[in-house]
Amino acid sequence: MSVARILAEKGTTVTTVSPDRTIDEAIHTLAEKRIGALVVGDSGGRVIGILSERDVMRALACDGASAFDQPVSRYMTAKVVTCTRRTSIEEVMETMTEGRFRHLPVVEEGRLIGVVSIGDVVKRRIAAVEAEHQAMRDYITMA
């Protein structure tokens, strides 16, 4: 299974934030959308960072309440690892595990086209294992 299949099932809508928005605004967007990360993009649709719940916690730990008024660009992770639609689920799992992050923007030709979360990957992986399990049961029953 590839990232293309996940995006076909879940859609390609991505919640983004501009780098000049405040951490306070970003936190409210995270809460409102019930998501764990915001892709930080420029006006051309390019990914320039990602702001995760972990980044927010680090900001608050470092600067306390004054972090709320600071721009997202100050605390975002600027070195963003991405994937493409052709990336396999196994590659995504390996990348997330090695990088210790839970959100992977999908980028092609320099433009953001989606995002894959660890929840998306786990959901599809469990479905695949259950399908294999059912196939084995059916095979044993028919034998």
Side-chain angles (χ1 to χ4, degrees):
M1 183 183 296
S2 68
V3 168
R5 176 107 181 244
I6 291 176
L7 293 179
E9 292 175 13
K10 79 173 249 180
T12 57
T13 302
V14 181
T15 304
T16 61
V17 65
S18 63
D20 60 328
R21 304 308 273 184
T22 66
I23 291 295
D24 185 61
E25 292 169 308
I27 290 170
H28 282 88
T29 301
L30 289 167
E32 176 186 312
K33 300 287 185 176
R34 300 177 55 87
I35 56 177
L38 294 167
V39 176
V40 183
D42 65 12
S43 59
R46 289 180 299 273
V47 175
I48 60 171
I50 193 163
L51 183 76
S52 70
E53 295 164 320
R54 289 179 185 169
D55 295 321
V56 171
M57 294 307 293
R58 285 187 197 107
L60 294 172
C62 182
D63 294 332
S66 66
F68 289 114
D69 298 322
Q70 297 300 314
V72 165
S73 60
R74 181 169 177 179
Y75 301 107
M76 70 183 187
T77 299
K79 194 173 187 179
V80 182
V81 177
T82 64
C83 67
T84 68
R85 283 180 245 213
R86 293 180 307 282
T87 305
S88 72
I89 295 297
E90 290 77 17
E91 290 173 283
V92 168
M93 288 189 297
E94 185 177 326
T95 300
M96 287 180 171
T97 300
E98 287 178 7
R100 298 180 53 96
F101 48 81
R102 301 175 307 199
H103 299 87
L104 194 59
V106 184
V107 175
E108 290 186 351
E109 297 178 15
R111 299 185 58 79
L112 178 67
I113 61 166
V115 68
V116 177
S117 72
I118 191 67
D120 299 327
V121 173
V122 169
K123 179 180 177 181
R124 274 52 178 210
R125 188 67 184 129
I126 288 172
V129 169
E130 287 176 352
E132 290 171 12
H133 186 247
Q134 185 61 46
M136 288 296 282
R137 274 195 264 165
D138 293 345
Y139 176 77
I140 291 169
T141 303
M142 298 291 185

